[in-house]
């Protein structure tokens, strides 16, 4: 997806990891784009990076009888990976490399933007008339942010069996189980499903900072209720989490990674380091350079929003 609620100025994002276990709850900021409810969970003024994770929108649940609730025309990305994961419904990805990625629940789409790519994402026809999912971005570290653009789709993902549930590993590694998706810095992204009225223990890397985002059902962390579509920042220094699910189906997203340690500048769909890079990328998109064309998409490409350069304090 595109960043559908862009700001005119870039947002400076730095790692501010808590070095001890904490619990900071940040409810999603709700917007409605063409009837599709979207909750922005990252970046937030109180929490901009979690490991390399720099963007998280949760959308739906939505039921519809006609039309395309998701119809994001061609738009550019730079310096990041997009990670698309659905709980219900369908989407189809097309990009300027000529890749097509039809996805539904259990199918992972990962696009490495590197030095620049364009893509579209839309509801296909026919469809189930339902939509619920998350869109995530991972910032690429400086050493890899100019990497060759690529798209990968994984229809079989490894799972970690837990007492009381199961984790599907989307990105990075959890409990010795590795995602097949390419990643560029130490990271974990997993969808955890819990059995009702059971407690569930998830092993963690203490050096990572983590968040939990309940997507469905009713969850508790060590006896404390966790609200749906709320970012729960957990800090670092934890060896495990003890969760319990009270309802079925119960889905929760676990994200984390080594503190990113590099300051990034985010604007629209770009992760950069300097204002000049953003200006150049915006001009290249508007002029039809660098990012390529998404030939499989039937409609118009997105225009870049206005950009207002502003000095940033480190
Ligand atoms: Mn996108």
């Amino acid at each position: 997806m595109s960043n559908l609620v862009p700001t005119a100025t870039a947002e400076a994002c730095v790692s501010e990891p808590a070095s001890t276990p904490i619990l900071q709850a940040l409810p999603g900021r709700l917007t409605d784009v063409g009837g599709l409810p979207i909750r922005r969970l990252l970046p937030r003024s109180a929490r901009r990076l979690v490991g390399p994770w720099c963007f998280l929108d949760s959308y739906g649940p939505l039921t519809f009888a006609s039309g395309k609730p998701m119809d994001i025309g061609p738009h550019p990305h730079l310096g990041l990976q997009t990670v698309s994961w659905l709980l219900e419904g369908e989407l189809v990805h097309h990009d300027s490399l000529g890749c097509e990625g039809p996805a539904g629940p259990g199918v992972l789409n990962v696009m490495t933007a590197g030095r620049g790519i364009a893509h579209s994402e839309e509801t296909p026809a026919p469809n189930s008339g339902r939509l619920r999912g998350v869109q995530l971005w991972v910032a690429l570290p400086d050493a890899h942010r100019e990497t060759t653009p690529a798209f990968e789709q994984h229809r079989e993902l490894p799972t970690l069996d837990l007492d009381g549930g199961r984790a599907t590993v989307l990105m990075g590694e959890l409990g010795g189980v590795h995602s097949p998706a390419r990643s560029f810095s130490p990271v974990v992204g997993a969808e955890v499903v819990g059995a009702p009225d059971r407690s569930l223990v998830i092993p963690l890397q203490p050096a990572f900072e983590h968040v939990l985002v309940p997507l469905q059902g009713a969850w508790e962390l060590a006896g404390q209720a966790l609200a749906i579509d709320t970012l729960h920042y957990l800090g670092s220094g934890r060896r495990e989490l003890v969760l319990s699910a009270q309802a079925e189906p119960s889905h929760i997203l676990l994200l984390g990674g080594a503190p990113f340690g590099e300051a990034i500048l985010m604007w629209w769909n770009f992760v950069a380091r300097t204002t000049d890079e953003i200006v150049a990328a915006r001009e290249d998109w508007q002029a039809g350079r660098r990012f390529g064309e998404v030939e499989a998409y039937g409609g118009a490409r997105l225009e870049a929003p206005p950009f207002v350069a502003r000095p940033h304090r480190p």
Side-chain angles (χ1 to χ4, degrees):
M1 278 171 75
S2 180
N3 179 357
L4 297 171
V5 282
T7 52
T9 55
E11 196 164 354
C13 303
V14 295
S15 298
E16 291 175 297
S19 58
T20 53
I22 63 165
L23 180 59
Q24 175 189 33
L26 299 168
R29 211 156 30 82
L30 181 67
T31 21
D32 190 292
V33 178
L36 180 65
I38 297 176
R39 284 159 235 88
R40 173 66 47 83
L41 292 153
L42 276 179
R44 307 295 303 277
S45 56
R47 184 62 53 192
R48 299 179 193 275
L49 279 162
V50 179
W53 298 100
C54 61
F55 183 94
L56 169 54
D57 272 355
S58 160
Y59 53 88
L62 185 74
T63 57
F64 57 98
S66 62
K68 296 206 272 188
M70 183 181 291
D71 189 9
I72 316 293
H75 58 276
H77 284 287
L78 180 75
L80 55 85
Q81 292 178 291
T82 64
V83 177
S84 301
W85 183 250
L86 288 170
L87 282 85
E88 295 178 35
E90 305 81 20
L91 64 77
V92 61
H93 153 107
H94 291 102
D95 63 40
S96 50
L97 304 174
C99 301
E100 179 176 66
V107 178
L108 180 73
N109 280 357
V110 176
M111 183 178 77
T112 300
R115 60 178 174 262
I117 193 170
H119 76 149
S120 61
E121 283 177 304
E122 58 192 310
T123 301
N127 58 64
S128 61
R130 304 180 70 83
L131 189 60
R132 171 77 167 127
V134 288
Q135 170 72 204
L136 299 133
W137 300 351
V138 181
L140 292 175
D142 194 48
H144 296 286
R145 66 196 184 94
E146 298 282 328
T147 194
T148 306
F151 174 76
E152 54 191 300
Q153 183 179 77
H154 300 281
R155 304 188 80 87
E156 301 281 337
L157 287 163
T159 56
L160 174 66
D161 285 324
L162 304 163
D163 189 27
R166 197 176 62 173
T168 301
V169 183
L170 311 180
M171 294 292 284
E173 181 261 328
L174 183 69
V177 174
H178 293 258
S179 165
R182 193 163 178 216
S183 53
F184 294 84
S185 61
V187 66
V188 60
E191 188 199 46
V192 179
V193 179
D197 303 316
R198 291 281 303 277
S199 67
L200 179 140
V201 180
I202 306 175
L204 298 182
Q205 298 203 36
F208 281 14
E209 52 179 344
H210 293 93
V211 288
L212 284 170
V213 182
L215 298 175
Q216 206 167 13
W219 287 92
E220 286 184 358
L221 171 66
Q224 184 165 348
L226 304 177
I228 293 284
D229 282 319
T230 294
L231 189 86
H232 297 89
Y233 181 73
L234 304 173
S236 57
R238 295 177 187 260
R239 296 192 173 276
E240 61 179 31
L241 290 175
V242 181
L243 287 171
S244 55
Q246 268 79 50
E248 202 170 22
S250 292
H251 294 252
I252 196 165
L253 202 59
L254 170 71
L255 305 174
F260 193 60
E262 296 178 27
I264 61 173
L265 208 50
M266 289 180 68
W267 177 76
W268 193 32
N269 299 311
F270 303 147
V271 169
R273 297 296 185 278
T274 66
T275 296
D276 288 351
E277 280 176 39
I278 292 173
V279 169
R282 185 184 181 283
E283 284 175 0
D284 283 350
W285 174 249
Q286 294 299 83
R289 296 187 297 258
R290 189 193 317 199
F291 299 96
E293 296 298 325
V294 184
E295 287 167 6
Y297 184 79
R301 70 212 291 272
L302 300 190
E303 294 292 315
F307 174 65
V308 177
R310 174 181 84 170
H312 287 275
R313 290 188 202 95

